[in-house]
Amino acid sequence: MSNIFKTTINSCDEKKLKLDAISKQVMVCKPLLARVMKACIKEYKKETLEDIINKYIEPNTISVSQTGVQKNTTNVIEGISNEDKSSNEGNITFDIIFKAIVPGKDGKEIGIYINIELQNDYYPGYPLEARGVYYACRRLASQFTEINKATNYGVLQKVYSIWICMNAPNKAAGNAASIKLVKNDLIGKLDIKKSNYDLIEVIMLCFNDDVEIKNELLNLLQTIFSRKVSKEAKFAKLEENGVKLDEDLRGGITKMADFYDELIEKGRVEGRVEGREEGIAIGENKGSDKRLIKQIRNKVEAGKDIQTIAAEVEESVEKVSPIYDIACEHPEYDVDAIYDELYSKNSK
């Protein structure tokens, strides 16, 4: 395994951080990056996967939660950093960021920046789309180390920020959207070159483990990051899609499968300690169930992620998950409505 992944994974003591690191190890595989680029970025629609992998991705610029950079003192055009920070500001960590090139219409090569974000929590307490726009803007602004009268804004390179939302609610799962700058003529018609303003684009890719997905890219990502699909089935899916299983990719998927197996086993053990079998907890004790639902619902409203909530209520992620999912998908539901939906599902 390459040192970049050893460093990332070994530094993750908590389960959430460990899963984040493993997910990045999987996603940073160039054949996967190329498939996302071809499916989502218009500049690569007509390019072959082989050319994207071998000619257009600049591998020496790929950064995976590694190097920090002082925004106002480092020339980030010459080298990519995953972390963008300024004095008097907090750190911003980019999951995966790299440079790529595309052939221009006049034969000249054009450079772009691509940021990939892996998002487990679809409801973090703020709109993800706004965060995506902010990330793209920060990366765009970071191309200049200083601004003065001689600054040439015409050299700015476009930024794509692509958000892979792995636990999207059912209503969003299987869908994707692009958010970008467009020109609207208000009076008459202004002749403005598109490349002068088409400088940021945020792309949201949404799926979960439960909704059947037909789109090729979303279905592939769903399979790779699924908690339910075995590593053997994931390997088969990748090979079916022509993705070569190198050491890092195979190792990352194996670690992911082991991680999910560990969580499931932990939940089963906790269930046996409580004297209950997995899957029949809701409905046995209405009072305590509703108290738990109320706790989880309040924490969801506070914007906390599922791992934090599970730790605070001292329950397994598996037990918290169905309540968390309903509370996120239906913020208008009160405790009784959540309980009724859980109990109806449990009774089937």
Side-chain angles (χ1 to χ4, degrees):
M1 182 185 298
S2 57
N3 289 333
I4 189 171
F5 297 125
K6 287 180 181 177
T7 302
T8 303
I9 293 173
N10 290 341
S11 66
C12 296
D13 296 326
E14 297 183 8
K15 285 185 170 60
K16 182 179 183 299
L17 294 177
K18 182 178 180 181
L19 179 58
D20 286 346
I22 295 169
S23 299
K24 292 169 193 176
Q25 174 182 348
V26 171
M27 192 62 233
V28 80
C29 166
K30 286 203 293 181
L32 288 184
L33 294 178
R35 280 158 176 79
V36 172
M37 291 162 66
K38 183 173 176 62
C40 301
I41 299 177
K42 65 178 183 292
E43 287 88 347
Y44 296 105
K45 294 288 186 183
K46 296 180 180 179
E47 306 301 325
T48 66
L49 288 170
E50 291 74 16
D51 280 348
I52 296 173
I53 293 168
N54 298 316
K55 292 172 57 177
Y56 300 140
I57 294 175
E58 297 189 353
N60 61 319
T61 69
I62 296 175
S63 176
V64 185
S65 299
Q66 287 292 302
T67 309
V69 66
Q70 291 291 336
K71 175 186 166 192
N72 294 323
T73 59
T74 301
N75 187 345
V76 293
I77 289 182
E78 297 303 322
I80 296 290
S81 168
N82 72 293
E83 190 177 86
D84 178 7
K85 60 184 180 180
S86 297
S87 58
N88 302 319
E89 296 183 30
N91 291 348
I92 301 171
T93 301
F94 297 93
D95 286 351
I96 300 169
I97 193 159
F98 59 97
K99 285 184 70 175
I101 56 174
V102 292
K105 293 180 180 179
D106 56 0
K108 295 181 179 179
E109 292 183 337
I110 301 169
I112 61 175
Y113 290 85
I114 300 172
N115 164 225
I116 307 285
E117 294 294 320
L118 299 168
Q119 187 68 23
N120 273 298
D121 188 358
Y122 195 79
Y123 296 100
Y126 52 79
L128 281 178
E129 299 82 5
R131 183 178 167 192
V133 171
Y134 179 72
Y135 273 39
C137 288
R138 285 295 292 261
R139 178 45 59 195
L140 184 70
S142 294
Q143 293 178 39
F144 291 139
T145 58
E146 61 178 335
I147 301 294
N148 55 46
K149 291 182 179 179
T151 298
N152 178 10
Y153 295 94
V155 302
L156 285 171
Q157 297 177 340
K158 187 171 182 177
V159 177
Y160 281 92
S161 187
I162 302 173
W163 291 69
I164 299 175
C165 304
M166 297 177 274
N167 291 313
N170 289 347
K171 63 184 178 182
N175 297 318
S178 167
I179 303 163
K180 56 187 177 181
L181 296 173
V182 296
K183 176 180 80 76
N184 291 313
D185 289 304
L186 301 179
I187 301 174
K189 184 176 181 180
L190 278 177
D191 185 16
I192 301 175
K193 192 175 180 181
K194 188 176 181 180
S195 60
N196 290 344
Y197 62 84
D198 183 26
L199 291 172
I200 64 169
E201 187 164 343
V202 178
I203 297 170
M204 311 295 292
L205 305 176
C206 301
F207 55 91
N208 63 30
D209 254 0
D210 301 319
V211 174
E212 181 181 356
I213 299 197
K214 296 181 180 179
N215 175 267
E216 184 177 350
L217 174 65
L218 292 181
N219 180 261
L220 177 62
L221 294 173
Q222 179 191 45
T223 302
I224 291 171
F225 293 107
S226 173
R227 298 186 178 210
K228 301 176 180 179
V229 179
S230 69
K231 63 182 178 183
E232 290 79 13
K234 293 182 181 187
F235 292 153
K237 182 73 172 181
L238 287 164
E239 290 176 347
E240 176 187 323
N241 280 265
V243 179
K244 182 180 178 181
L245 289 165
D246 62 13
E247 180 185 358
D248 286 326
L249 183 55
R250 185 179 290 274
I253 288 176
T254 299
K255 284 183 173 65
M256 187 182 295
D258 292 343
F259 179 85
Y260 288 144
D261 287 345
E262 179 185 336
L263 286 183
I264 292 170
E265 183 58 30
K266 183 174 183 290
R268 286 174 179 164
V269 170
E270 289 180 354
R272 289 196 292 271
V273 169
E274 293 173 3
R276 295 180 289 190
E277 290 296 328
E278 185 107 17
I280 60 172
I282 296 297
E284 290 184 343
N285 189 326
K286 188 173 183 178
S288 63
D289 287 339
K290 287 195 173 183
R291 283 192 293 274
L292 178 61
I293 290 170
K294 183 177 181 180
Q295 285 181 294
I296 295 172
R297 181 178 179 274
N298 289 342
K299 293 178 186 298
V300 168
E301 287 184 343
K304 296 183 178 181
D305 61 57
I306 191 169
Q307 288 83 5
T308 300
I309 294 173
E312 290 183 355
V313 300
E314 298 183 346
E315 296 286 356
S316 69
V317 171
E318 285 68 32
K319 184 172 180 180
V320 170
S321 180
I323 303 171
Y324 176 86
D325 290 344
I326 294 173
C328 288
E329 188 169 353
H330 299 285
E332 74 279 8
Y333 278 15
D334 60 14
V335 171
D336 289 333
I338 295 174
Y339 178 86
D340 289 343
E341 181 159 339
L342 283 168
Y343 186 67
S344 65
K345 286 181 178 178
N346 221 36
S347 301
K348 293 178 181 179

